[in-house]
């Protein structure tokens, strides 16, 4: 059983912890938090040993009735791999700690690419993480773009990608973010930084991106235009994308006309936290003009990187090769929605030994 420590137990960290706990070949040896808030109490309920990310704050946990297993460096020493899910920039500061214990570490998309040896997406470059000690699971948007680009590139070849990213202003709990009543070109400069981030996965890809931020918390939406190397039909592209387990092509007739209904769909189906680990591509939006493909996809920013973190753990430790890892991750989490309206996979997320 591979021992995984999670440093930073917020939006991403708590989901990764549950996803790791659901796998048969790895276990959560502990989570590190800075404060004994509601998420800390949930971690205790779920049975994750709690470590103090800032040792001087350990007494605050005791006052809140939370037993501390140790300080974060003890967690790093105990773990075979650490998943750093701290806020952007903190991961880079933590790298020294992981190096001191010779513990391989995964970082998240908020860190810059030069903090790590390899930027990672399970579908596109799983094997690149094999010899790495420091791996960055790319951001929610870059993950969403990479999952679509990889099969298109393999099947048809890609000449150029143009993407407009309509981004949620903040996550549901981020009540200090915005805009509240505005539509922001963000960044105003074109192209946005998202294209270069995708190039950390596809080094030679020609891609330009533009970004906006809108008053929403649920999901991002991408308007994608891909110039392919060959002429194809929309039906052929749709069939290709439907073969990918981490892409959900929303069938016509589902009545899902926006991300609000997508989230309702996930909640109604009993998805934990209403998570949508898959890219959600509107089937009716898939259109082809000459060699130009167009589509709309929605990306659940809080959860699409979660299966990728599980696969990255297997990639850096050599536990399983790409296909076996992705299948196991998806099976244990319940990732995958077929075209059948009742097509959610079994909802599995629970401790592997339950
Ligand atoms: P978050 O703020 O929800 O969670 C971060 C957690 O780390 C919080 O619980 C915070 O208290 C804790 N923390 C702060 N300083 C710490 C320290 N020194 N040691 C340990 N823990 C510390 O943030 P998040 O949204 O989970 O983002 C984490 C990373 O994931 C960032 O790099 C972010 O860019 C990336 N990411 C976020 C999203 C998203 O939509 N939320 C999507 C993909 C990637």
């Amino acid at each position: 059983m591979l021992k995984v420590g999670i440093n930073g137990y917020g939006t991403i960290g708590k989901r990764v912890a549950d996803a790791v706990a659901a796998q048969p070949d790895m276990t959560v040896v502990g989570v590190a938090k800075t404060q004994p808030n509601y998420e800390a109490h949930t971690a205790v309920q779920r049975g994750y040993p709690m470590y103090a990310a800032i040792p001087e704050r350990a007494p605050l946990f005791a006052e809140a009735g939370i037993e501390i297993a140790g300080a974060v460096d003890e967690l790093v020493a105990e773990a075979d791999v650490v998943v750093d899910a701290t806020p952007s920039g903190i991961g880079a500061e933590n790298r020294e700690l992981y190096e001191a214990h010779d513990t391989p570490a995964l970082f998240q998309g908020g860190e810059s690419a030069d903090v790590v040896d390899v930027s990672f997406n399970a579908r596109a470059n799983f094997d690149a993480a094999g010899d790495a000690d420091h791996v960055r699971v790319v951001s929610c948007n870059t993950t969403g773009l990479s999952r679509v680009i990889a099969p298109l590139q393999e099947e048809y070849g890609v000449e150029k990608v143009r993407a407009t990213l309509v981004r949620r202003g903040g996550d549901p709990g981020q009540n200090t973010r915005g805009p509240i009543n505005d539509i922001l070109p963000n960044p105003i400069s074109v192209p946005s930084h998202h294209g270069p981030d995708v190039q950390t996965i596809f080094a030679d890809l020609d891609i330009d991106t533009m970004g906006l931020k809108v008053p929403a918390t649920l999901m991002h939406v991408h308007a994608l235009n891909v110039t392919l190397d060959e002429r194809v039909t929309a039906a052929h592209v749709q069939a290709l994308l439907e073969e990918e387990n981490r892409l959900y092509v929303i069938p016509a007739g589902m009545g899902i006309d926006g991300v609000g209904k997508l989230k309702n769909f996930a909640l109604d189906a009993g998805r934990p936290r209403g998570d949508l680990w898959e890219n959600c591509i509107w089937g009716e939006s898939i259109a082809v003009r000459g060699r130009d493909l167009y589509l709309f996809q929605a990306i659940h920013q809080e959860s699409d990187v979660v299966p990728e973190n599980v696969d990255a753990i297997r990639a850096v430790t050599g536990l399983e090769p790409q296909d076996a890892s992705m299948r196991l991750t998806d099976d244990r989490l319940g990732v995958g929605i077929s075209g059948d309206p009742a097509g959610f996979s079994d909802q599995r997320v629970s401790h592997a030994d339950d």
Side-chain angles (χ1 to χ4, degrees):
M1 239 355 174
L2 193 83
K3 294 185 283 182
V4 180
I6 316 279
N7 189 16
Y9 190 82
T11 303
I12 301 298
K14 65 187 176 187
R15 288 173 165 83
V16 172
D18 290 353
V20 166
Q23 306 303 312
D25 51 352
M26 54 186 83
T27 186
V28 178
V29 285
V31 303
K33 274 202 65 67
T34 52
Q35 48 185 323
N37 67 0
Y38 72 98
E39 286 165 326
H41 285 280
T42 310
V44 171
Q45 274 171 3
R46 291 184 187 225
Y48 304 139
M50 177 64 62
Y51 288 78
I54 300 172
E56 306 80 64
R57 291 208 197 150
L60 297 179
F61 286 82
E63 281 166 28
I66 294 175
E67 192 185 328
I68 286 286
V72 64
D73 66 321
E74 294 169 80
L75 173 62
V76 176
E78 167 79 5
D80 298 318
V81 181
V82 171
V83 178
D84 185 298
T86 59
S88 306
I90 307 278
E93 294 171 14
N94 287 339
R95 186 182 144 139
E96 216 174 298
L97 170 67
Y98 309 139
E99 279 174 330
H101 291 277
D102 209 13
T103 306
L106 309 187
F107 299 86
Q108 306 304 314
E111 302 303 325
S112 85
D114 54 22
V115 170
V116 296
D117 311 315
V118 170
S119 292
F120 179 88
N121 171 257
R123 176 64 179 79
N125 71 341
F126 186 98
D127 292 338
D131 295 323
D133 287 329
H134 302 104
V135 170
R136 182 178 72 116
V137 175
V138 289
S139 74
C140 45
N141 282 309
T142 303
T143 296
L145 289 169
S146 299
R147 284 176 178 170
V148 176
I149 291 166
L152 293 175
Q153 200 176 49
E154 285 165 16
E155 185 75 14
Y156 312 119
V158 167
E159 182 179 308
K160 168 107 189 169
V161 177
R162 298 174 183 83
T164 301
L165 285 66
V166 181
R167 296 142 68 208
R168 57 82 178 109
D171 294 338
Q174 290 178 312
N175 51 18
T176 55
R177 303 256 305 237
I180 288 178
N181 181 21
D182 207 343
I183 299 171
L184 308 178
N186 181 282
I188 292 180
S189 57
V190 177
S192 73
H193 55 274
H194 302 95
D197 203 45
V198 174
Q199 286 165 331
T200 66
I201 301 290
F202 303 90
D204 300 324
L205 185 73
D206 187 359
I207 177 168
D208 285 331
T209 50
M210 299 172 76
L212 297 110
K213 275 194 183 176
V214 296
T217 62
L218 299 179
M219 297 178 82
H220 305 298
V221 171
H222 297 171
L224 201 60
N225 164 217
V226 183
T227 307
L228 302 166
D229 283 346
E230 56 187 76
R231 283 174 178 266
V232 297
T233 63
H236 198 275
V237 174
Q238 177 153 347
L240 176 78
L241 300 182
E242 282 172 351
E243 279 170 27
E244 300 281 322
N245 201 47
R246 294 185 188 175
L247 304 182
Y248 169 44
V249 179
I250 306 165
M254 286 288 277
I256 296 177
D257 58 5
V259 300
K261 292 195 179 101
L262 262 175
K263 288 289 289 172
N264 279 351
F265 180 42
L267 286 161
D268 289 352
R271 279 281 172 103
R273 302 183 173 97
D275 283 350
L276 282 158
W277 300 291
E278 306 84 357
N279 293 23
C280 301
I281 299 168
W282 278 275
E284 291 153 284
S285 75
I286 298 173
V288 174
R289 300 282 180 274
R291 289 188 291 116
D292 274 317
L293 164 68
Y294 299 88
L295 59 82
F296 286 122
Q297 67 172 355
I299 301 297
H300 185 218
Q301 74 280 356
E302 297 175 292
S303 69
D304 73 327
V305 298
V306 171
E308 309 297 325
N309 271 272
V310 175
D311 292 325
I313 291 169
R314 293 203 185 94
V316 287
T317 56
L319 264 187
E320 293 285 352
Q322 180 183 34
D323 285 354
S325 177
M326 291 179 73
R327 263 201 309 276
L328 187 55
T329 303
D330 290 359
D331 179 58
R332 290 305 176 124
L333 287 180
V335 175
I337 311 169
S338 74
D340 176 346
F344 273 91
S345 303
D346 289 346
Q347 301 304 302
R348 288 276 175 77
V349 177
S350 63
H351 289 238
D353 53 357
D354 279 355

